[in-house]
Amino acid sequence: MNSKPPHGPAGRGAASKAGPMPVPPPPSAKVPRSPRAALEPERVPSPKRRSKRVRHPLVIVGNAIFTVLIVVTVAVGGALYVGKQRFESPGPLTQDKVVDIPRGLGIRDISEVLLREGVIDQPWVFIGGVLVLKARGDLKHGEYQFTKGASLADVVNTIIENKVVQHALTIPEGLTSEQIVARLLENNALSGQVKEIPREGTLLPETYKFTRGMARGQIIQRMQQASRRLVQEVWEHRMADLPVKSPEQLVTLASIVEKETGKPDERSRVASVFVNRLKNKMKLQSDPTIIYGLTGGKGSLGRPIMKSEIEQPTPYNTYVIDGLPPGPIANPGRASLEAAANPARTKDLFFVADGTGGHVFSDNYAEHQKNVARLRVIEKNNAASAPQPAKK
């Protein structure tokens, strides 16, 4: 007997009579609860507990420190950015200004000086900039010139690079050592006293640069060193038959040339007159030597030389003594030293003023007398044409 279910319509009919198969509810669908169960509050699962590692005190402290560091870093970065902007922004100066920063001041004292002088208006930014640049030990005393609108960065760089103001002292040729010292004492940018007047002829007339507060003695040392170098250089290149025996005598001859003429183109010819006289054993007869012997290097007489003074014996009066005086009568410059070392090749033995600031030269006494007479006429005419003082 066949146990298989019948096929065909009869078989399908039997299956449909059995009804549809039950479908289980989806996992997410809520199963209806009893009325009592529905009244009870729904139980929420307990939250998972944090691991012991997260709750460890060291971790908590570390997180706090890390947070603080981030905050501090952001704050410092912001402060540095703002500070840099202020540090490089134009300053308050409306015009260039020179400020003297005294010796021995600290960073705060320097900021107060700059604030008082109107160079800066943010002293704490100045101090902070110096500290950031690690330049606290590079702040130097001195006299500084700050330009209009100089930023704090410009101000700091000017000081740490020691761009101090340079003063200039010009010493004209032909001054005596005493006159030069007087000029040094008159200069308020220099400091200190002069212990003694330097020997005549040992100071080189020149323009010297210095900073405020430099000692006067230092300037004198520089003048003496410059003079020694120059005299040695000129002496080594002197004329072969020059009738002087030492560099000191060369300076003495140059000082006479310096005092006799102020015209550069005359120096070598004036020097030739004195060299020719030395070679011919003639007295030099230089008027400036009379004056130096009378004043002792203190300056001019302030009046014409009297006839009695021409004949008055002094160690320097070349109308009385033979040859060169015992020492220089002034401090000659380079041009006069070179003229004395290499005078013009002439036969001139005399010269006299021409009435216009120069001189006329001659090689014999007769011609010289004519030149002197011509000068007297010029002087007489000038005196007659000069305005007369009003009568009281």
Side-chain angles (χ1 to χ4, degrees):
M1 187 172 173
N2 192 353
S3 61
K4 292 181 179 181
H7 295 279
R12 288 192 298 271
S16 62
K17 287 181 180 179
M21 295 293 291
V23 180
S28 60
K30 292 184 178 180
V31 180
R33 296 185 294 176
S34 65
R36 181 180 178 180
L39 293 175
E40 294 180 358
E42 186 176 354
R43 295 183 179 181
V44 180
S46 302
K48 294 182 178 180
R49 298 186 66 186
R50 299 171 67 186
S51 67
K52 292 183 177 181
R53 183 178 180 184
V54 174
R55 291 183 288 112
H56 196 283
L58 292 178
V59 175
I60 296 173
V61 172
N63 289 338
I65 293 175
F66 182 71
T67 303
V68 171
L69 287 177
I70 292 177
V71 173
V72 170
T73 301
V74 172
V76 170
L80 289 176
Y81 176 79
V82 174
K84 185 175 184 295
Q85 295 296 316
R86 293 184 178 180
F87 194 63
E88 297 176 350
S89 298
L93 274 181
T94 57
Q95 59 184 3
D96 294 357
K97 187 167 188 178
V98 174
V99 177
D100 184 26
I101 298 178
R103 184 188 298 271
L105 295 188
I107 182 173
R108 185 172 297 182
D109 297 325
I110 292 175
S111 70
E112 290 177 357
V113 171
L114 296 174
L115 178 65
R116 184 171 61 250
E117 295 292 338
V119 177
I120 65 174
D121 54 5
Q122 302 178 80
W124 287 109
V125 178
F126 170 84
I127 294 172
V130 172
L131 296 178
V132 169
L133 293 173
K134 298 180 180 178
R136 186 170 187 169
D138 297 327
L139 298 180
K140 303 176 181 67
H141 72 279
E143 191 177 31
Y144 297 93
Q145 180 170 358
F146 301 104
T147 58
K148 174 184 176 180
S151 66
L152 287 169
D154 296 331
V155 173
V156 172
N157 288 333
T158 297
I159 298 175
I160 64 178
E161 292 176 12
N162 202 29
K163 297 178 180 178
V164 292
V165 175
Q166 293 288 323
H167 293 265
L169 173 67
T170 299
I171 303 298
E173 294 90 345
L175 294 183
T176 65
S177 293
E178 189 161 337
Q179 290 173 318
I180 291 176
V181 168
R183 293 204 174 200
L184 293 178
L185 294 174
E186 291 171 358
N187 193 306
N188 294 328
L190 294 170
S191 65
Q193 297 299 316
V194 178
K195 295 180 180 179
E196 59 181 2
I197 304 297
R199 283 191 304 110
E200 203 69 75
T202 61
L203 306 177
L204 181 65
E206 189 61 81
T207 295
Y208 295 90
K209 296 292 185 66
F210 66 94
T211 58
R212 178 174 291 277
M214 178 176 285
R216 293 180 174 89
Q218 287 182 269
I219 294 289
I220 289 176
Q221 289 177 359
R222 288 171 58 186
M223 292 179 181
Q224 291 173 328
Q225 292 169 357
S227 178
R228 284 194 293 268
R229 287 193 299 266
L230 178 59
V231 170
Q232 188 60 37
E233 173 190 333
V234 173
W235 176 253
E236 291 174 356
H237 296 86
R238 69 190 183 280
M239 187 174 66
D241 59 343
L242 193 68
V244 295
K245 299 177 182 179
S246 66
E248 291 73 22
Q249 285 191 350
L250 176 66
V251 175
T252 299
L253 176 59
S255 71
I256 297 174
V257 173
E258 190 75 77
K259 297 297 290 185
E260 285 284 6
T261 181
K263 297 187 70 175
D265 58 343
E266 281 191 349
R267 287 191 176 102
S268 62
R269 195 166 182 183
V270 169
S272 74
V273 171
F274 293 121
V275 167
N276 291 338
R277 281 177 164 260
L278 287 172
K279 288 180 178 180
N280 287 280
K281 308 298 182 182
M282 297 174 64
K283 287 181 170 58
L284 298 185
Q285 295 185 329
S286 169
D287 289 356
T289 63
I290 298 176
I291 296 172
Y292 189 88
L294 295 173
T295 65
K298 295 184 182 301
S300 65
L301 286 174
R303 56 172 175 76
I305 300 173
M306 295 186 295
K307 184 177 180 181
S308 60
E309 292 171 335
I310 295 176
E311 300 171 353
Q312 181 178 332
T314 73
Y316 288 87
N317 187 350
T318 54
Y319 279 81
V320 177
I321 66 172
D322 294 323
L324 291 166
I329 61 172
N331 290 276
R334 174 184 285 272
S336 293
L337 285 166
E338 291 177 343
N342 292 279
R345 295 285 185 175
T346 73
K347 294 182 179 180
D348 296 331
L349 294 171
F350 305 92
F351 64 89
V352 66
D354 62 4
T356 63
H359 295 84
V360 288
F361 298 84
S362 57
D363 58 7
N364 62 83
Y365 187 68
E367 186 66 27
H368 175 62
Q369 287 293 87
K370 292 179 182 178
N371 293 334
V372 172
R374 193 177 298 114
L375 175 63
R376 297 291 177 260
V377 172
I378 294 173
E379 291 175 341
K380 183 177 180 180
N381 292 336
N382 290 341
S385 60
Q388 299 298 317
K391 295 183 179 179
K392 294 183 180 180

